[in-house]
Amino acid sequence: MINAVATILGCMALVVMIATVVRVVMIKLWESARVNPEYVQSMYDNYKDHRWSGNIKEQPSLLGDPSEIRPSAVDPTREVTANTPVRSQSSALKLMAPAAPSPSAIVDIESKRSQIEHTLRGFFEASTTEQQLAFARDPQRVRPLMEHYYSSHPHTPLEWKTLGWALPVEESGYRLGYAQAVFANAEPVSLIIEEMVDGTFRVDWESSVRYGEIGWEEFIKTQPSAPTLLRVIASKPQNIPPEAAPMGSELLEIKHPDDNDVVYAYFDRKDPKFQPLLQQLQTGNWKDVPLTLRLCFPGPTGSAKNARIADVEGKGWLILHGTRS
């Protein structure tokens, strides 16, 4: 009897030990996959009025008259940091007559996981542009962009595994979210999704592939003088290069998410049209901040070391234009 009791106690101890190890491993995996909700919220909650110009060609026509851009709701005298509570930065307009509330995020996103997973799975398992367009935001606008992109990039379907985390993203006039797609044969991918008025979901294709009008290597090699749309990562330089930016300009260290080659680019921080850019940089603590910029080189090909930031479009890698009804 004593031996039997000892055996039972030993088995129970072994089960408890295994359960403890599994729990620790699961906690570590979950923590490694989590994102900072405050940072995601801050990237998509501060700027209500910066809209895309619609220009997809290498032309200097940018966002129109900067004076038409209304001031941001953020107090310009207050420093914005990654630890600043995001919700306290938004200000509401007091209207004379009551109006129907506009959407600002995907409501109760956890209850919609099955619909989101259906959309993401269809998007990533698509093997043609037509199939992927059925799950993409603004399909008519992005169709030529997708055709241009996939003319030089393989259209490789991924083996779907599961939907990871899903977070609402606050943006007035939109039902946006941020979700993680997990695959059996590739690293997880984080991307922006939008809930449409009919309850379906769409994926922001442009930010998912970091679409640019030309490739990063081509941009560095050809040094175009016309403003060119590119999705990049920007940081404040640790060391100022020998050829500094013009007097009164802010210099950034810029690279592509898929390339280590660095370009230094400057902009006039006193220009009102760059206020959204400064706010995004401050929100990201000036370190590895995702941006959608129009970049060009001010001099003849091969003569300039520093590029110029002609304009900033959208927030992060997401381009907004108009509000959803």
Side-chain angles (χ1 to χ4, degrees):
M1 184 179 296
I2 292 176
N3 289 339
V5 171
T7 301
I8 293 173
L9 292 176
C11 292
M12 292 177 62
L14 181 61
V15 170
V16 171
M17 184 183 302
I18 294 174
T20 302
V21 171
V22 170
R23 182 174 182 274
V24 171
V25 170
M26 292 302 293
I27 290 175
K28 293 296 183 182
L29 289 174
W30 169 247
E31 289 179 349
S32 65
R34 293 181 63 185
V35 296
N36 184 346
E38 291 187 359
Y39 178 72
V40 174
Q41 295 280 7
S42 64
M43 287 302 296
Y44 295 98
D45 188 45
N46 290 340
Y47 325 110
K48 307 301 183 190
D49 303 299
H50 206 58
R51 295 294 181 260
W52 184 44
S53 62
N55 177 22
I56 63 172
K57 298 180 180 178
E58 298 174 11
Q59 298 175 348
S61 172
L62 300 173
L63 287 179
D65 184 1
S67 64
E68 295 178 359
I69 301 176
R70 289 170 291 179
S72 169
V74 182
D75 183 358
T77 63
R78 176 184 176 188
E79 183 180 3
V80 182
T81 67
N83 296 322
T84 304
V86 176
R87 298 182 183 278
S88 64
Q89 296 172 0
S90 299
S91 61
L93 294 176
K94 296 182 180 180
L95 304 179
M96 295 300 293
S102 62
S104 61
I106 297 177
V107 179
D108 196 12
I109 193 170
E110 283 298 315
S111 68
K112 302 171 182 177
R113 288 182 64 89
S114 60
Q115 301 98 304
I116 295 173
E117 181 165 5
H118 170 76
T119 299
L120 296 187
R121 182 168 187 167
F123 179 82
F124 284 107
E125 289 184 345
S127 58
T128 66
T129 299
E130 287 297 327
Q131 292 175 356
Q132 204 165 43
L133 276 169
F135 302 96
R137 294 179 70 232
D138 302 320
Q140 293 183 348
R141 182 178 64 82
V142 303
R143 177 186 291 274
L145 308 184
M146 293 178 73
E147 292 173 348
H148 169 255
Y149 177 84
Y150 288 118
S151 66
S152 58
H153 294 76
H155 209 137
T156 307
L158 297 176
E159 185 180 346
W160 180 262
K161 186 176 181 180
T162 188
L163 173 65
W165 43 257
L167 297 170
V169 171
E170 290 196 8
E171 174 61 33
S172 180
Y174 292 83
R175 299 179 180 89
L176 296 176
Y178 198 46
Q180 182 192 53
V182 183
F183 309 99
N185 60 344
E187 292 295 319
V189 173
S190 305
L191 67 169
I192 294 291
I193 56 175
E194 181 178 7
E195 183 181 13
M196 313 308 292
V197 292
D198 61 359
T200 60
F201 289 85
R202 295 296 183 104
V203 175
D204 187 71
W205 172 82
E206 291 172 281
S207 61
S208 72
V209 299
R210 283 86 69 185
Y211 177 79
E213 290 178 349
I214 63 175
W216 186 244
E217 292 182 0
E218 182 182 354
F219 173 75
I220 295 176
K221 181 179 179 180
T222 60
Q223 297 186 358
S225 59
T228 304
L229 186 143
L230 293 162
R231 285 174 169 83
V232 297
I233 295 175
S235 303
K236 182 180 270 305
Q238 296 295 321
N239 300 305
I240 303 297
E243 295 187 9
M247 186 70 66
S249 298
E250 187 73 48
L251 191 68
L252 296 178
E253 180 183 284
I254 293 178
K255 61 183 180 180
H256 191 270
D258 302 324
D259 199 308
N260 291 323
D261 287 341
V262 172
V263 167
Y264 293 94
Y266 64 88
F267 67 96
D268 182 2
R269 64 179 300 142
K270 295 182 180 179
D271 192 327
K273 72 179 180 181
F274 290 120
Q275 186 63 27
L277 174 57
L278 286 170
Q279 291 172 353
Q280 292 188 66
L281 291 167
Q282 291 169 351
T283 300
N285 280 333
W286 297 77
K287 178 65 175 176
D288 295 333
V289 181
L291 298 171
T292 303
L293 303 176
R294 285 195 177 272
L295 300 171
C296 62
F297 286 86
T301 301
S303 66
K305 296 295 183 182
N306 296 336
R308 180 174 68 89
I309 299 176
D311 217 316
V312 55
E313 301 211 17
K315 298 187 215 176
W317 291 337
L318 179 67
I319 286 178
L320 302 171
H321 50 104
T323 57
R324 306 298 191 192
S325 59

